[in-house]
PDB file of all heavy atoms in Angstrom:
ATOM      1  N   ARG U 167       0.827  -1.208   0.000  1.00 97.00           N
ATOM      2  CA  ARG U 167       0.000   0.000   0.000  1.00 97.00           C
ATOM      3  C   ARG U 167       0.857   1.252   0.000  1.00 97.00           C
ATOM      4  O   ARG U 167       0.508   2.267  -0.610  1.00 97.00           O
ATOM      5  CB  ARG U 167      -0.896  -0.045   1.240  1.00 97.00           C
ATOM      6  CG  ARG U 167      -2.111   0.824   1.181  1.00 97.00           C
ATOM      7  CD  ARG U 167      -3.162   0.365   2.173  1.00 97.00           C
ATOM      8  NE  ARG U 167      -2.691   0.203   3.528  1.00 97.00           N
ATOM      9  CZ  ARG U 167      -2.705  -0.947   4.194  1.00 97.00           C
ATOM     10  NH1 ARG U 167      -3.131  -2.051   3.612  1.00 97.00           N
ATOM     11  NH2 ARG U 167      -2.271  -1.016   5.437  1.00 97.00           N
ATOM     12  N   ALA U 168       2.010   1.197   0.689  1.00 97.00           N
ATOM     13  CA  ALA U 168       2.907   2.345   0.770  1.00 97.00           C
ATOM     14  C   ALA U 168       3.844   2.445  -0.439  1.00 97.00           C
ATOM     15  O   ALA U 168       4.622   3.394  -0.531  1.00 97.00           O
ATOM     16  CB  ALA U 168       3.734   2.267   2.052  1.00 97.00           C
ATOM     17  N   GLY U 169       3.773   1.462  -1.319  1.00 97.00           N
ATOM     18  CA  GLY U 169       4.676   1.465  -2.461  1.00 97.00           C
ATOM     19  C   GLY U 169       6.066   0.976  -2.126  1.00 97.00           C
ATOM     20  O   GLY U 169       7.008   1.210  -2.898  1.00 97.00           O
ATOM     21  N   ALA U 170       6.221   0.270  -1.005  1.00 97.00           N
ATOM     22  CA  ALA U 170       7.539  -0.218  -0.572  1.00 97.00           C
ATOM     23  C   ALA U 170       7.806  -1.617  -1.117  1.00 97.00           C
ATOM     24  O   ALA U 170       8.225  -2.523  -0.394  1.00 97.00           O
ATOM     25  CB  ALA U 170       7.618  -0.208   0.951  1.00 97.00           C
ATOM     26  N   HIS U 171       7.580  -1.793  -2.402  1.00 96.00           N
ATOM     27  CA  HIS U 171       7.752  -3.114  -3.012  1.00 96.00           C
ATOM     28  C   HIS U 171       9.205  -3.569  -2.955  1.00 96.00           C
ATOM     29  O   HIS U 171       9.482  -4.774  -2.925  1.00 96.00           O
ATOM     30  CB  HIS U 171       7.265  -3.075  -4.464  1.00 96.00           C
ATOM     31  CG  HIS U 171       5.863  -2.587  -4.618  1.00 96.00           C
ATOM     32  ND1 HIS U 171       4.771  -3.377  -4.315  1.00 96.00           N
ATOM     33  CD2 HIS U 171       5.363  -1.387  -5.024  1.00 96.00           C
ATOM     34  CE1 HIS U 171       3.651  -2.694  -4.535  1.00 96.00           C
ATOM     35  NE2 HIS U 171       3.983  -1.481  -4.963  1.00 96.00           N
ATOM     36  N   ASP U 172      10.126  -2.592  -2.922  1.00 94.00           N
ATOM     37  CA  ASP U 172      11.547  -2.936  -2.909  1.00 94.00           C
ATOM     38  C   ASP U 172      11.964  -3.622  -1.611  1.00 94.00           C
ATOM     39  O   ASP U 172      13.057  -4.195  -1.542  1.00 94.00           O
ATOM     40  CB  ASP U 172      12.400  -1.685  -3.121  1.00 94.00           C
ATOM     41  CG  ASP U 172      12.092  -0.586  -2.123  1.00 94.00           C
ATOM     42  OD1 ASP U 172      10.950  -0.542  -1.617  1.00 94.00           O
ATOM     43  OD2 ASP U 172      12.976   0.246  -1.845  1.00 94.00           O
ATOM     44  N   ALA U 173      11.123  -3.561  -0.573  1.00 97.00           N
ATOM     45  CA  ALA U 173      11.469  -4.150   0.719  1.00 97.00           C
ATOM     46  C   ALA U 173      10.973  -5.584   0.867  1.00 97.00           C
ATOM     47  O   ALA U 173      11.312  -6.253   1.846  1.00 97.00           O
ATOM     48  CB  ALA U 173      10.895  -3.299   1.849  1.00 97.00           C
ATOM     49  N   LEU U 174      10.182  -6.078  -0.074  1.00 97.00           N
ATOM     50  CA  LEU U 174       9.542  -7.377   0.106  1.00 97.00           C
ATOM     51  C   LEU U 174      10.548  -8.519   0.124  1.00 97.00           C
ATOM     52  O   LEU U 174      10.436  -9.442   0.939  1.00 97.00           O
ATOM     53  CB  LEU U 174       8.494  -7.593  -0.991  1.00 97.00           C
ATOM     54  CG  LEU U 174       7.273  -6.661  -0.926  1.00 97.00           C
ATOM     55  CD1 LEU U 174       6.358  -6.914  -2.115  1.00 97.00           C
ATOM     56  CD2 LEU U 174       6.509  -6.854   0.374  1.00 97.00           C
ATOM     57  N   ASP U 175      11.534  -8.480  -0.768  1.00 97.00           N
ATOM     58  CA  ASP U 175      12.519  -9.558  -0.789  1.00 97.00           C
ATOM     59  C   ASP U 175      13.289  -9.626   0.531  1.00 97.00           C
ATOM     60  O   ASP U 175      13.510 -10.714   1.081  1.00 97.00           O
ATOM     61  CB  ASP U 175      13.489  -9.366  -1.957  1.00 97.00           C
ATOM     62  CG  ASP U 175      12.845  -9.663  -3.304  1.00 97.00           C
ATOM     63  OD1 ASP U 175      11.771 -10.296  -3.322  1.00 97.00           O
ATOM     64  OD2 ASP U 175      13.415  -9.250  -4.336  1.00 97.00           O
ATOM     65  N   GLU U 176      13.703  -8.458   1.031  1.00 97.00           N
ATOM     66  CA  GLU U 176      14.432  -8.430   2.301  1.00 97.00           C
ATOM     67  C   GLU U 176      13.549  -8.934   3.437  1.00 97.00           C
ATOM     68  O   GLU U 176      14.015  -9.676   4.323  1.00 97.00           O
ATOM     69  CB  GLU U 176      14.919  -7.022   2.598  1.00 97.00           C
ATOM     70  CG  GLU U 176      15.740  -6.922   3.881  1.00 97.00           C
ATOM     71  CD  GLU U 176      16.119  -5.501   4.246  1.00 97.00           C
ATOM     72  OE1 GLU U 176      15.665  -4.566   3.565  1.00 97.00           O
ATOM     73  OE2 GLU U 176      16.871  -5.341   5.225  1.00 97.00           O
ATOM     74  N   LEU U 177      12.288  -8.551   3.424  1.00 98.00           N
ATOM     75  CA  LEU U 177      11.376  -8.989   4.480  1.00 98.00           C
ATOM     76  C   LEU U 177      11.226 -10.506   4.474  1.00 98.00           C
ATOM     77  O   LEU U 177      11.214 -11.142   5.536  1.00 98.00           O
ATOM     78  CB  LEU U 177      10.009  -8.323   4.324  1.00 98.00           C
ATOM     79  CG  LEU U 177       8.990  -8.671   5.410  1.00 98.00           C
ATOM     80  CD1 LEU U 177       9.440  -8.146   6.762  1.00 98.00           C
ATOM     81  CD2 LEU U 177       7.608  -8.129   5.066  1.00 98.00           C
ATOM     82  N   HIS U 178      11.142 -11.101   3.311  1.00 98.00           N
ATOM     83  CA  HIS U 178      11.019 -12.558   3.244  1.00 98.00           C
ATOM     84  C   HIS U 178      12.305 -13.246   3.699  1.00 98.00           C
ATOM     85  O   HIS U 178      12.258 -14.346   4.272  1.00 98.00           O
ATOM     86  CB  HIS U 178      10.624 -12.993   1.835  1.00 98.00           C
ATOM     87  CG  HIS U 178       9.178 -12.757   1.516  1.00 98.00           C
ATOM     88  ND1 HIS U 178       8.157 -13.401   2.178  1.00 98.00           N
ATOM     89  CD2 HIS U 178       8.580 -11.923   0.623  1.00 98.00           C
ATOM     90  CE1 HIS U 178       6.984 -12.998   1.705  1.00 98.00           C
ATOM     91  NE2 HIS U 178       7.209 -12.102   0.758  1.00 98.00           N
ATOM     92  N   GLU U 179      13.452 -12.613   3.481  1.00 98.00           N
ATOM     93  CA  GLU U 179      14.699 -13.156   4.021  1.00 98.00           C
ATOM     94  C   GLU U 179      14.646 -13.176   5.545  1.00 98.00           C
ATOM     95  O   GLU U 179      15.036 -14.160   6.187  1.00 98.00           O
ATOM     96  CB  GLU U 179      15.887 -12.322   3.550  1.00 98.00           C
ATOM     97  CG  GLU U 179      16.235 -12.486   2.075  1.00 98.00           C
ATOM     98  CD  GLU U 179      17.417 -11.634   1.683  1.00 98.00           C
ATOM     99  OE1 GLU U 179      18.132 -11.147   2.590  1.00 98.00           O
ATOM    100  OE2 GLU U 179      17.633 -11.433   0.474  1.00 98.00           O
ATOM    101  N   VAL U 180      14.162 -12.076   6.128  1.00 98.00           N
ATOM    102  CA  VAL U 180      13.987 -12.021   7.579  1.00 98.00           C
ATOM    103  C   VAL U 180      13.005 -13.098   8.025  1.00 98.00           C
ATOM    104  O   VAL U 180      13.223 -13.786   9.032  1.00 98.00           O
ATOM    105  CB  VAL U 180      13.497 -10.624   8.012  1.00 98.00           C
ATOM    106  CG1 VAL U 180      13.203 -10.595   9.513  1.00 98.00           C
ATOM    107  CG2 VAL U 180      14.519  -9.552   7.657  1.00 98.00           C
ATOM    108  N   GLY U 181      11.936 -13.269   7.259  1.00 98.00           N
ATOM    109  CA  GLY U 181      10.920 -14.245   7.620  1.00 98.00           C
ATOM    110  C   GLY U 181      11.426 -15.666   7.607  1.00 98.00           C
ATOM    111  O   GLY U 181      11.095 -16.458   8.505  1.00 98.00           O
ATOM    112  N   ARG U 182      12.221 -15.995   6.610  1.00 97.00           N
ATOM    113  CA  ARG U 182      12.758 -17.361   6.547  1.00 97.00           C
ATOM    114  C   ARG U 182      13.754 -17.625   7.676  1.00 97.00           C
ATOM    115  O   ARG U 182      13.804 -18.733   8.220  1.00 97.00           O
ATOM    116  CB  ARG U 182      13.397 -17.605   5.180  1.00 97.00           C
ATOM    117  CG  ARG U 182      12.364 -17.763   4.057  1.00 97.00           C
ATOM    118  CD  ARG U 182      13.017 -18.182   2.758  1.00 97.00           C
ATOM    119  NE  ARG U 182      13.776 -17.098   2.161  1.00 97.00           N
ATOM    120  CZ  ARG U 182      13.274 -16.189   1.324  1.00 97.00           C
ATOM    121  NH1 ARG U 182      11.989 -16.219   0.997  1.00 97.00           N
ATOM    122  NH2 ARG U 182      14.039 -15.248   0.802  1.00 97.00           N
ATOM    123  N   LEU U 183      14.520 -16.602   8.030  1.00 98.00           N
ATOM    124  CA  LEU U 183      15.436 -16.761   9.157  1.00 98.00           C
ATOM    125  C   LEU U 183      14.656 -16.903  10.460  1.00 98.00           C
ATOM    126  O   LEU U 183      14.945 -17.781  11.286  1.00 98.00           O
ATOM    127  CB  LEU U 183      16.396 -15.575   9.227  1.00 98.00           C
ATOM    128  CG  LEU U 183      17.440 -15.610  10.346  1.00 98.00           C
ATOM    129  CD1 LEU U 183      18.326 -16.851  10.218  1.00 98.00           C
ATOM    130  CD2 LEU U 183      18.295 -14.346  10.323  1.00 98.00           C
ATOM    131  N   ALA U 184      13.645 -16.045  10.665  1.00 98.00           N
ATOM    132  CA  ALA U 184      12.854 -16.092  11.896  1.00 98.00           C
ATOM    133  C   ALA U 184      12.092 -17.401  12.036  1.00 98.00           C
ATOM    134  O   ALA U 184      11.893 -17.900  13.146  1.00 98.00           O
ATOM    135  CB  ALA U 184      11.881 -14.907  11.939  1.00 98.00           C
ATOM    136  N   GLY U 185      11.667 -17.971  10.916  1.00 97.00           N
ATOM    137  CA  GLY U 185      10.923 -19.220  10.956  1.00 97.00           C
ATOM    138  C   GLY U 185      11.799 -20.452  10.931  1.00 97.00           C
ATOM    139  O   GLY U 185      11.290 -21.581  10.987  1.00 97.00           O
ATOM    140  N   GLY U 186      13.115 -20.254  10.885  1.00 97.00           N
ATOM    141  CA  GLY U 186      14.043 -21.373  10.796  1.00 97.00           C
ATOM    142  C   GLY U 186      14.490 -21.893  12.146  1.00 97.00           C
ATOM    143  O   GLY U 186      14.378 -21.227  13.175  1.00 97.00           O
ATOM    144  N   ALA U 187      15.043 -23.088  12.126  1.00 97.00           N
ATOM    145  CA  ALA U 187      15.431 -23.757  13.369  1.00 97.00           C
ATOM    146  C   ALA U 187      16.577 -23.044  14.077  1.00 97.00           C
ATOM    147  O   ALA U 187      16.619 -22.998  15.316  1.00 97.00           O
ATOM    148  CB  ALA U 187      15.828 -25.204  13.064  1.00 97.00           C
ATOM    149  N   THR U 188      17.506 -22.461  13.319  1.00 98.00           N
ATOM    150  CA  THR U 188      18.677 -21.832  13.941  1.00 98.00           C
ATOM    151  C   THR U 188      18.274 -20.647  14.803  1.00 98.00           C
ATOM    152  O   THR U 188      18.666 -20.547  15.977  1.00 98.00           O
ATOM    153  CB  THR U 188      19.680 -21.383  12.864  1.00 98.00           C
ATOM    154  OG1 THR U 188      20.137 -22.533  12.139  1.00 98.00           O
ATOM    155  CG2 THR U 188      20.869 -20.687  13.505  1.00 98.00           C
ATOM    156  N   ALA U 189      17.510 -19.735  14.239  1.00 98.00           N
ATOM    157  CA  ALA U 189      17.109 -18.547  14.999  1.00 98.00           C
ATOM    158  C   ALA U 189      16.185 -18.909  16.149  1.00 98.00           C
ATOM    159  O   ALA U 189      16.261 -18.319  17.240  1.00 98.00           O
ATOM    160  CB  ALA U 189      16.436 -17.539  14.076  1.00 98.00           C
ATOM    161  N   GLN U 190      15.315 -19.874  15.942  1.00 97.00           N
ATOM    162  CA  GLN U 190      14.440 -20.302  17.032  1.00 97.00           C
ATOM    163  C   GLN U 190      15.262 -20.874  18.181  1.00 97.00           C
ATOM    164  O   GLN U 190      14.937 -20.669  19.354  1.00 97.00           O
ATOM    165  CB  GLN U 190      13.426 -21.318  16.529  1.00 97.00           C
ATOM    166  CG  GLN U 190      12.370 -20.719  15.613  1.00 97.00           C
ATOM    167  CD  GLN U 190      11.264 -21.697  15.258  1.00 97.00           C
ATOM    168  OE1 GLN U 190      11.103 -22.744  15.899  1.00 97.00           O
ATOM    169  NE2 GLN U 190      10.489 -21.373  14.244  1.00 97.00           N
ATOM    170  N   ARG U 191      16.339 -21.563  17.839  1.00 98.00           N
ATOM    171  CA  ARG U 191      17.218 -22.102  18.877  1.00 98.00           C
ATOM    172  C   ARG U 191      17.916 -20.984  19.632  1.00 98.00           C
ATOM    173  O   ARG U 191      18.083 -21.064  20.852  1.00 98.00           O
ATOM    174  CB  ARG U 191      18.238 -23.046  18.234  1.00 98.00           C
ATOM    175  CG  ARG U 191      19.206 -23.695  19.214  1.00 98.00           C
ATOM    176  CD  ARG U 191      18.499 -24.548  20.237  1.00 98.00           C
ATOM    177  NE  ARG U 191      19.435 -25.273  21.087  1.00 98.00           N
ATOM    178  CZ  ARG U 191      19.111 -25.784  22.262  1.00 98.00           C
ATOM    179  NH1 ARG U 191      17.879 -25.679  22.735  1.00 98.00           N
ATOM    180  NH2 ARG U 191      20.015 -26.432  22.985  1.00 98.00           N
ATOM    181  N   TRP U 192      18.337 -19.945  18.931  1.00 98.00           N
ATOM    182  CA  TRP U 192      18.927 -18.782  19.617  1.00 98.00           C
ATOM    183  C   TRP U 192      17.947 -18.239  20.659  1.00 98.00           C
ATOM    184  O   TRP U 192      18.332 -17.951  21.795  1.00 98.00           O
ATOM    185  CB  TRP U 192      19.247 -17.676  18.616  1.00 98.00           C
ATOM    186  CG  TRP U 192      20.356 -17.964  17.672  1.00 98.00           C
ATOM    187  CD1 TRP U 192      21.328 -18.921  17.789  1.00 98.00           C
ATOM    188  CD2 TRP U 192      20.626 -17.281  16.434  1.00 98.00           C
ATOM    189  NE1 TRP U 192      22.179 -18.870  16.711  1.00 98.00           N
ATOM    190  CE2 TRP U 192      21.775 -17.872  15.870  1.00 98.00           C
ATOM    191  CE3 TRP U 192      20.008 -16.227  15.771  1.00 98.00           C
ATOM    192  CZ2 TRP U 192      22.310 -17.446  14.650  1.00 98.00           C
ATOM    193  CZ3 TRP U 192      20.527 -15.786  14.559  1.00 98.00           C
ATOM    194  CH2 TRP U 192      21.673 -16.397  14.009  1.00 98.00           C
ATOM    195  N   GLY U 193      16.703 -18.079  20.258  1.00 98.00           N
ATOM    196  CA  GLY U 193      15.707 -17.563  21.191  1.00 98.00           C
ATOM    197  C   GLY U 193      15.505 -18.463  22.386  1.00 98.00           C
ATOM    198  O   GLY U 193      15.385 -17.995  23.527  1.00 98.00           O
ATOM    199  N   ASP U 194      15.480 -19.772  22.142  1.00 97.00           N
ATOM    200  CA  ASP U 194      15.313 -20.725  23.243  1.00 97.00           C
ATOM    201  C   ASP U 194      16.476 -20.641  24.230  1.00 97.00           C
ATOM    202  O   ASP U 194      16.280 -20.657  25.451  1.00 97.00           O
ATOM    203  CB  ASP U 194      15.212 -22.145  22.691  1.00 97.00           C
ATOM    204  CG  ASP U 194      13.922 -22.392  21.926  1.00 97.00           C
ATOM    205  OD1 ASP U 194      12.983 -21.592  22.067  1.00 97.00           O
ATOM    206  OD2 ASP U 194      13.864 -23.391  21.173  1.00 97.00           O
ATOM    207  N   LEU U 195      17.698 -20.564  23.702  1.00 98.00           N
ATOM    208  CA  LEU U 195      18.876 -20.529  24.576  1.00 98.00           C
ATOM    209  C   LEU U 195      18.935 -19.227  25.372  1.00 98.00           C
ATOM    210  O   LEU U 195      19.259 -19.232  26.573  1.00 98.00           O
ATOM    211  CB  LEU U 195      20.145 -20.696  23.740  1.00 98.00           C
ATOM    212  CG  LEU U 195      20.384 -22.096  23.152  1.00 98.00           C
ATOM    213  CD1 LEU U 195      21.551 -22.070  22.180  1.00 98.00           C
ATOM    214  CD2 LEU U 195      20.636 -23.110  24.263  1.00 98.00           C
ATOM    215  N   ALA U 196      18.651 -18.113  24.722  1.00 98.00           N
ATOM    216  CA  ALA U 196      18.686 -16.826  25.421  1.00 98.00           C
ATOM    217  C   ALA U 196      17.639 -16.766  26.530  1.00 98.00           C
ATOM    218  O   ALA U 196      17.870 -16.171  27.587  1.00 98.00           O
ATOM    219  CB  ALA U 196      18.472 -15.683  24.425  1.00 98.00           C
ATOM    220  N   GLU U 197      16.504 -17.392  26.289  1.00 96.00           N
ATOM    221  CA  GLU U 197      15.442 -17.432  27.294  1.00 96.00           C
ATOM    222  C   GLU U 197      15.794 -18.384  28.435  1.00 96.00           C
ATOM    223  O   GLU U 197      15.528 -18.089  29.607  1.00 96.00           O
ATOM    224  CB  GLU U 197      14.137 -17.881  26.623  1.00 96.00           C
ATOM    225  CG  GLU U 197      12.963 -18.121  27.548  1.00 96.00           C
ATOM    226  CD  GLU U 197      12.288 -16.846  28.022  1.00 96.00           C
ATOM    227  OE1 GLU U 197      12.666 -15.766  27.551  1.00 96.00           O
ATOM    228  OE2 GLU U 197      11.373 -16.950  28.858  1.00 96.00           O
ATOM    229  N   ALA U 198      16.389 -19.523  28.092  1.00 96.00           N
ATOM    230  CA  ALA U 198      16.682 -20.552  29.099  1.00 96.00           C
ATOM    231  C   ALA U 198      17.860 -20.189  29.988  1.00 96.00           C
ATOM    232  O   ALA U 198      17.969 -20.701  31.108  1.00 96.00           O
ATOM    233  CB  ALA U 198      16.947 -21.894  28.413  1.00 96.00           C
ATOM    234  N   HIS U 199      18.748 -19.313  29.503  1.00 97.00           N
ATOM    235  CA  HIS U 199      19.936 -18.934  30.267  1.00 97.00           C
ATOM    236  C   HIS U 199      19.929 -17.425  30.503  1.00 97.00           C
ATOM    237  O   HIS U 199      20.573 -16.670  29.764  1.00 97.00           O
ATOM    238  CB  HIS U 199      21.208 -19.361  29.515  1.00 97.00           C
ATOM    239  CG  HIS U 199      21.237 -20.817  29.188  1.00 97.00           C
ATOM    240  ND1 HIS U 199      21.440 -21.316  27.918  1.00 97.00           N
ATOM    241  CD2 HIS U 199      21.052 -21.902  29.983  1.00 97.00           C
ATOM    242  CE1 HIS U 199      21.399 -22.628  27.945  1.00 97.00           C
ATOM    243  NE2 HIS U 199      21.164 -23.013  29.185  1.00 97.00           N
TER     244      HIS U 199
END
């Protein structure tokens, strides 16, 4: 809506990292310790 189409690819890169096992493990470890 804002015309920020150039940001979509970067956002999906963030999304795949956030939804991946590695980053989720970082969150688990930081929370557990």
Side-chain angles (χ1 to χ4, degrees):
R167 200 160 52 241
H171 305 284
D172 55 333
L174 293 176
D175 288 344
E176 182 185 5
L177 182 65
H178 284 296
E179 288 180 15
V180 175
R182 287 187 288 272
L183 181 59
T188 298
Q190 290 187 15
R191 181 61 174 161
W192 291 342
D194 291 344
L195 289 171
E197 174 77 5
H199 304 126

